[in-house]
Structure formats: structure tokens, C-alpha cells
Amino acid sequence: QVQLVESGGGLVQSGGSLRLSCAATGNILAINDMAWYRRAPGKRRERVAHISSAGQTQLADSVKGRFTISRDNANNMVYLQMSSLLPEDTAIYYCNANIREGLNPWVNYWGQGTQVAVSA
């Protein structure tokens, strides 16, 4: 059974940094697109960063220059390095990936989320 497990969230002061990690586990044959989303209190979920299997990245305008997404294909990991954090970055952050388990069709998976809180 495929799972995405996030870690690395926490409480940090404005201007600080955090690194989120997401591990994909299970009988994984392949992973293509991976991404990080977030949902802030009272707001809709938004995509923060995306990375293709080839390593091409896209970042939301609100985090460009502050966040970096990367992946480790050998270990089925994706990371989100967050710097110069702002109170408006406070949200639950979710890992998302398209994964093929064994010979089954591709399925889109979500992690359980990790809380990031940035104090002013």
C-alpha cells in the first residue's frame, strides 16, 4: 500500500527556515510529478511547488525566491526548503505525487499533512 508521509513542520519565527520532507513508501514502480500544497486557515488549498520526474520545477509567485523544491528519485523523496518565512506561510502543508504501484495504473496520492506555523 502506497503512502506519503510528511515531516519537518513546526513553529518558527518570521524570517526563519524549515525543511519539509515527504517519503513515498510501498510497492512503488515509478513516481512522476510531485508537489507541495498548502491550506491556510479560512483559505482554499493552493499549490506551492511542483517538480517533474526530470527535475523541472515550478513555484507559486508568493514563494518564489524563498522556497525551493527538490527530489531524490533513488529514495522516493521530495523536499521543500522554506526560507524567509512569513506569517502568511502558516498553513498545513501536503505532499502530493502521481505514483504507479506495481503494474497498477497511475494514482494520485496525498500525504496526511504537516503543520507549519510562523510567528510574527
Side-chain angles (χ1 to χ4, degrees), residues 25-77:
T25 63
N27 183 25
I28 296 171
L29 180 64
I31 304 176
N32 52 27
D33 294 345
M34 305 185 84
W36 288 95
Y37 287 74
R38 68 185 179 188
R39 176 174 285 163
K43 295 187 177 181
R44 298 181 66 177
R45 185 177 61 197
E46 64 169 337
R47 194 176 78 175
V48 174
H50 170 272
I51 185 166
S52 71
S53 57
Q56 294 177 315
T57 63
Q58 292 179 317
L59 296 168
D61 287 343
S62 58
V63 305
K64 282 181 181 176
R66 301 188 298 121
F67 291 12
T68 303
I69 186 171
S70 61
R71 63 191 287 171
D72 177 352
N73 290 331
N75 293 297
N76 295 331
M77 298 285 296

Side-chain angles (χ1 to χ4, degrees), residues 28 47 83 85 106:
I28 296 171
R47 194 176 78 175
S83 303
L85 282 161
W106 292 91

